[in-house]
Each structure stands twice: as structure tokens, then as C-alpha cells.
Amino acid sequence: MKKLLMGNEAIARGAVEAGVKVAAAYPGTPSSEIFTTLSSMAKDRNIYVEWSVNEKVALEVAAGAAYAGARAMVTMKQVGLNVAADPLMTLAYIGVKGGLVVVVADDPGPHSSQNEQDTRKFAQLAKLPVLDPSTPQEAKDMTVTAFEISEKLGMPVILRPTTRTCHVCQDVTLGDEREPLVPEGFVKDPRWVIFPSLAIKQHHWLNRQQEVAADLFEKLNYNQAEYRDRVGIVAAGVSYNYVKEALHMLGVKLSVLKIGTPYPLPNKLALDFMQRHQRILVVEEQEPVVEDQLIKLAYKHRLSVQLVGKEENYIPREGELNVNKVAQAVAQFVGIEVPEIEEAELPPLPVRPPVLCAGCPHRASFYAFKQVADKDAVFAGDIGCYTLGNMRPLNAVDTCLCMGASVTIASGLNRVEPGRQQIAFLGDSTFFHTGISGLINAVYNKANITLVVLDNRTTAMTGHQPHPGLEHTAMGEATKGLDIAKIAECCGAEFVQVVDPYRLKEAKAAAKAALDYPGPSVVVMRRECVALVKDGNRPLHVNEEECLECGICIDELGCPAIFKRGNLPVISNRCTGCGLCAQICPAKAIQEVR
């Protein structure tokens, strides 16, 4: 049976077909739909799923399940693997009993990430096998295969789809669903305790497993060679599709070696391909992972084949590939004139600069602090939709590094400029992710900063997933929501206030009190995300007779619901009635629509 599935949905389906028992994740584009799909199927199939507080925790939960013999999966985006790196690097030594698949979705481009890191490089560093699907069908099939390989090798296996594979749709041939196996349970054994004496022993084992994994990959049909000429192309992951389409577009027939398992490389197949060809172009997104292994293999076997790719600047090392980029590289490689590539005419996109939503409570929070902070105060931002606070006219994000870094960056700045105000902003989900440890550090080391938790009662940016501050789990079950203010107090913060940012006067008072407090202070700005909750507020309009045409409502808030017609502000039907603009209007000309 076939079913139209997005790549991420196909990976979730593959996990079900493999009999996954436990799954954990932290949301992040382009990976989030894997877990939301899996969680929607979990209860009916006796699968435990959870949104964990961060990727490290998610991996450790999955590892614990795999220790007990269950098949387990963890999903994240590529920067999340940095957070999970600590357990991952040692987990490679410890190994697993039940299959453990680590799905890390890479974001070349990047479309929604702070960098363009290549998880295949991480796989090499950790010495873990990695599979790189080119289509949703392959993503589903590889997920099943990854569990099987993980159990054969006794080690975690990484599945690394990229954005295009994650989000494209295809008719996928489904396999049979498998009931989660009843795991044997955790069996006490010294192998689970990584003393240094065990680590050195396991490092030898881990190195030997590289050859075992390469031999296993030789037999998989994800790696295939098509022979046509003495000139060939090696294509990895989603790049294989671009190569096939580019060859068809150019009318050129070349040999193609498709690589679906970029690390460790199936050496015998790769060596045979290189021995049959004089010149080879290597096409892969991001880093030259396959290319470098081929160069090493060719050198080791004294082959005279010419290998080009990123090293000779045929293939860019930055950004996402597409058919046109690959076609130009292939044309250059075979020495034909680069054809005029007709770009399909697309309708012009509406001009929409990145901006916080109309009625977003974060706008009110930023505005309140901007009003009472010193002119030279530093606003340390974080990862989330509130990063848009850096846009004019708010200009309330001066730094942004990674999840949870706002509070620690502010602490570092405070060491250098103790007489300056440092204000850190982060979201509620980010507070649980890695913000708590930063707050503990600030309190313990007496950093005189103010932390503002923008608590909109969801993980908004990635699709409104729940977090530990809410009263329900990923499986829809009621649970105890943790109070951020109480946690802040338990972290040692002596000044903690909770305030509704829509109540501007109270919000400004709380902000001023926090900034005046001599020591670390915390303000929780609590108001539900406007995209989820409709308060039933009446929309607003501008009473033209009373308007002073001062422009404050437009120039200071940047709300997309307000625009200028002539000298008069006009409020559009995007207004949610939050009332922030009415509170700052000096003439009280912004009023409810009656």
C-alpha cells in the first residue's frame, strides 16, 4: 500500500514499522514533524513519547530505554546535536542493547538555524554510522534499517535527513507495522559503567566497528553504481536527485555512484567505481565528507583517478544545492557550455519583513523594558520567535548566540561592565532547555543582571509544542506544570516578579524594580501566545478627531496591525485588541470598535 507522506512523516512511519518502544525529542526545524507525527500514533501502538527539556536529556532518556533492550529513537535538528554531544560521544563507547536511532535533521541554507553544521562530520567525530536519505521513501526504509544495524553493531546509528528530504512529499510504499518487542529489561553489567579502564578497551572495539559497519553498508541497496562511461559522478544523500535531473536536463550520460551511507564509506564499492573511471565529480551538500574519504581511498590504493568536487570549487561548500547549481557544475565538469537555464516565473511574493505578530505579548515586554532601562542598557537575546525583537523600532536584541545563552552572555558582559544594565530575554521553553543552569550560575556568582522570561505558555517558534511549564504532555495526558517563578526562587533569585505584559503600567513598574534591584533579578512576563488564544478582545480603531498625528503608536511599537495613511495611523483587521497601542496613545485616540 502506498500513502502520500512528507519525509518527516515517513521517518515516523519507519519507526513504527521497526517497532520503536520509546521516543524522545526537542523541537526544531526541520525535524519537528517527525515527533509530532509519532506522538499522534503513540497511544494506539503502545509507544512512549515525550518532549524532553533539551536534546541531551532526550538522548539520555532514549539511551536508558535502549540499555533495557527496547528500540528507541531520539529526534532533533543539527544544532541540537551540540547540546546532546556529551552523552553521544560516550554512548558510542558504551554501546546499546536495543536499537537506538538518533535522527538529526540538517538545515543547509540555513532556512531556520544559527549555523550550517554537517552532522556527517559529527558522526565521524563520534565514530558512529550515518545514513543519509535522498527521498521520503528512503527515509522510511532507512529508519527501519538503522534500527537493525544499531542492534547488529551494538551502537547508536545516526539518520541524517536534510531540509529538502524532511519536507518534500512522495507516495511511500508502506511496510507492516511491528508491535514493540517486549524488552528483556536492564541487566546489570560492568559494561554500562564507563570507567577509564573500560573506555580504553571500548575505544579499540569502537575502532574495529568502523570496518564492520562499512562491510554492512556494502550490502545495502542505498549504495548503487550505474556504469556508463569512464567519467562519473558520486552523489550523496539528496544530491543524487539533483544529479539525475541535471544529467537529464543536459542530455549527458555518465556513470553515477549513489551513496546513502556516507560514513563509514562502503569502501569496496567506492574503490571499484574509482578504478573504472578516469575522472569523477563528487556532489554532496555542505562538507566534503564523501569526497575526503574517496581522496584518502584513492591515495591508499595509488589510483590515478581525478577527483573533483568542493576542493576544486565545482560544488559550493555553503548553502543548499539545487538542480540548477548541480547542472552548472556538471556542465563545467564535462566541458560543455553551460546552458541557459530557464527559471520558472513565480508570482511576486508579498513584502513581509520579519516581525512579531500583531498582539504578540513579547512586544509589550520589550517595550516596557525599553521604557525604563538606561539608554546604553544591553539586551541579550536568545533563540525563539522573540529574536524578532531585534527589528526596528523595538531594537531590543543586541546579542543572540544559542539556546539559553542570553543569561550567560549577560553575566559575562556584567563582569566587564558592572556599571551598565544587562537584561537577558529568553522564552519559557528555552528557560527549561538551558536557561535554568545559567540563572543558577548568575545567582551563585552574584552577576548583577536581570533575566526576563517571556512565558507565552508554549514553544511557539517550532509549532506550539508543550514544555514542562504546561499541564499536559506530548501524549495529551494531564501532568503537573512547573512554575517558572518558583523555580527561579529555588535557583536563589531573591527578586522574582510575575506580571502580565499587556498591563503596561504594572509591567514597567516590575521592570524598573528589577533593574534597580542590587543583584540578579527575574521578571516572568506571562501572557499566552496570541496565535493560540483568542481573548475575545474588541479590535481597536483610531478616532481621527482626537488623534494628534504624533505617530507614537507606529514609531515605537512596530505592530503590523497599524499602518499610516497620510499622517493618520490606521488599524487594520489584523488587530487582536491587546490594547498596548491604546495605553501609549497620549490623546487616548485609540479606542475599542463599538
Side-chain angles (χ1 to χ4, degrees), residues 78 106-113 115-118 120 160 162-164 236 238-239 242 283-288 310 314-323 325-326:
Q78 89 277 11
D106 279 1
D107 182 20
H111 298 277
S112 180
S113 303
N115 65 45
E116 277 193 293
Q117 67 190 58
D118 190 329
R120 299 175 304 165
R160 177 250 188 186
T162 54
T163 304
R164 208 54 51 180
V238 73
S239 303
Y242 302 144
V283 183
E284 57 189 322
E285 282 186 330
Q286 298 191 308
E287 295 300 302
K310 296 180 189 295
Y314 280 81
I315 304 295
R317 202 164 177 163
E318 309 84 13
E320 189 176 30
L321 294 181
N322 58 38
V323 175
K325 288 181 183 177
V326 172

Side-chain angles (χ1 to χ4, degrees), residues 120-399:
R120 299 175 304 165
K121 282 287 188 186
F122 233 126
Q124 286 181 304
L125 177 65
K127 302 181 180 180
L128 292 176
V130 58
L131 293 90
D132 193 357
S134 60
T135 62
Q137 179 71 60
E138 219 171 49
K140 195 271 292 181
D141 295 341
M142 280 188 175
T143 303
V144 178
T145 303
F147 278 104
E148 294 167 352
I149 291 176
S150 175
E151 290 179 352
K152 283 180 182 173
L153 295 173
M155 60 200 301
V157 170
I158 294 175
L159 180 71
R160 177 250 188 186
T162 54
T163 304
R164 208 54 51 180
T165 304
C166 288
H167 289 161
V168 75
C169 292
Q170 180 187 23
D171 276 335
V172 174
T173 301
L174 305 182
D176 294 333
E177 293 189 22
R178 175 176 172 174
E179 284 286 325
L181 296 173
V182 178
E184 178 187 10
F186 180 71
V187 178
K188 293 184 180 183
D189 188 303
R191 66 172 283 200
W192 302 118
V193 185
I194 192 70
F195 281 121
S197 57
L198 177 62
I200 188 64
K201 176 184 167 188
Q202 286 300 99
H203 198 180
H204 288 286
W205 169 81
L206 182 58
N207 284 335
R208 289 196 301 273
Q209 291 300 85
Q210 310 304 297
E211 297 175 12
V212 178
D215 287 342
L216 279 175
F217 285 169
E218 297 280 356
K219 305 177 182 71
L220 299 179
N221 61 6
Y222 307 125
N223 305 309
Q224 291 183 348
E226 308 160 24
Y227 294 104
R228 290 184 180 276
D229 197 348
R230 295 283 286 166
V231 178
I233 297 177
V234 176
V238 73
S239 303
Y240 173 74
N241 303 315
Y242 302 144
V243 166
K244 295 294 285 185
E245 192 169 340
L247 290 174
H248 177 74
M249 181 191 302
L250 297 171
V252 175
K253 294 183 178 178
L254 301 178
S255 302
V256 177
L257 173 60
K258 174 183 179 298
I259 295 293
T261 61
Y263 181 82
L265 201 64
N267 284 339
K268 293 173 187 169
L269 182 63
L271 184 61
D272 181 62
F273 190 82
M274 286 194 293
Q275 287 172 332
R276 296 189 188 203
H277 295 86
Q278 296 171 333
R279 299 176 64 234
I280 292 174
L281 172 68
V282 185
V283 183
E284 57 189 322
E285 282 186 330
Q286 298 191 308
E287 295 300 302
V289 172
V290 171
E291 185 178 338
D292 286 352
Q293 292 180 87
L294 291 175
I295 290 171
K296 179 181 174 183
L297 197 61
Y299 175 79
K300 183 178 176 181
H301 291 272
R302 302 292 188 268
L303 301 183
S304 59
V305 59
Q306 182 192 12
L307 285 163
V308 298
K310 296 180 189 295
E311 297 296 341
E312 304 292 334
N313 295 322
Y314 280 81
I315 304 295
R317 202 164 177 163
E318 309 84 13
E320 189 176 30
L321 294 181
N322 58 38
V323 175
N324 291 345
K325 288 181 183 177
V326 172
Q328 291 184 10
V330 172
Q332 181 188 356
F333 176 64
V334 298
I336 63 175
E337 190 173 338
V338 179
E340 192 72 30
I341 297 173
E342 293 184 10
E343 297 279 356
E345 291 252 349
L346 297 174
L349 294 172
V351 178
R352 185 185 183 279
V355 65
L356 293 168
C357 299
C360 175
H362 299 336
R363 178 179 290 101
S365 300
F366 285 129
Y367 183 78
F369 269 90
K370 291 286 285 190
Q371 288 295 299
V372 301
D374 294 343
K375 294 296 181 188
D376 68 342
V378 179
F379 292 78
D382 221 294
I383 304 297
C385 49
Y386 42 86
T387 310
L388 296 174
N390 76 321
M391 305 301 290
R392 295 177 65 189
L394 294 172
N395 297 320
V397 176
D398 296 316
T399 70

Side-chain angles (χ1 to χ4, degrees), residues 389-458:
N390 76 321
M391 305 301 290
R392 295 177 65 189
L394 294 172
N395 297 320
V397 176
D398 296 316
T399 70
C400 184
L401 180 63
C402 62
M403 292 286 285
S406 60
V407 59
T408 36
I409 289 285
S411 298
L413 291 169
N414 182 247
R415 298 300 162 203
V416 181
E417 297 183 285
R420 195 173 183 181
Q421 291 177 336
Q422 288 91 19
I423 309 166
F425 291 88
L426 53 68
D428 40 353
S429 185
T430 309
F431 177 79
F432 290 108
H433 182 277
T434 36
I436 294 174
S437 53
L439 176 59
I440 291 172
N441 189 68
V443 171
Y444 175 71
N445 291 297
K446 300 186 283 187
N448 187 14
I449 64 167
T450 296
L451 170 62
V452 186
V453 183
L454 303 169
D455 183 3
N456 64 355
R457 317 299 294 152
T458 188

Side-chain angles (χ1 to χ4, degrees), residues 500-524:
D500 182 348
Y502 280 179
R503 297 177 180 272
L504 185 58
K505 187 176 178 180
E506 296 171 21
K508 287 167 63 177
K512 177 129 189 359
L515 293 174
D516 290 342
Y517 185 79
S521 55
V522 177
V523 178
V524 181

Side-chain angles (χ1 to χ4, degrees), residues 514-550:
L515 293 174
D516 290 342
Y517 185 79
S521 55
V522 177
V523 178
V524 181
M525 293 286 197
R526 182 169 296 157
R527 168 61 74 158
E528 293 84 352
C529 174
V530 70
L532 289 181
V533 178
K534 305 299 180 188
D535 278 346
N537 295 328
R538 289 176 180 272
L540 304 174
H541 79 119
V542 178
N543 185 326
E544 297 182 5
E545 294 180 356
E546 298 183 25
C547 179
L548 302 176
E549 300 182 6
C550 62

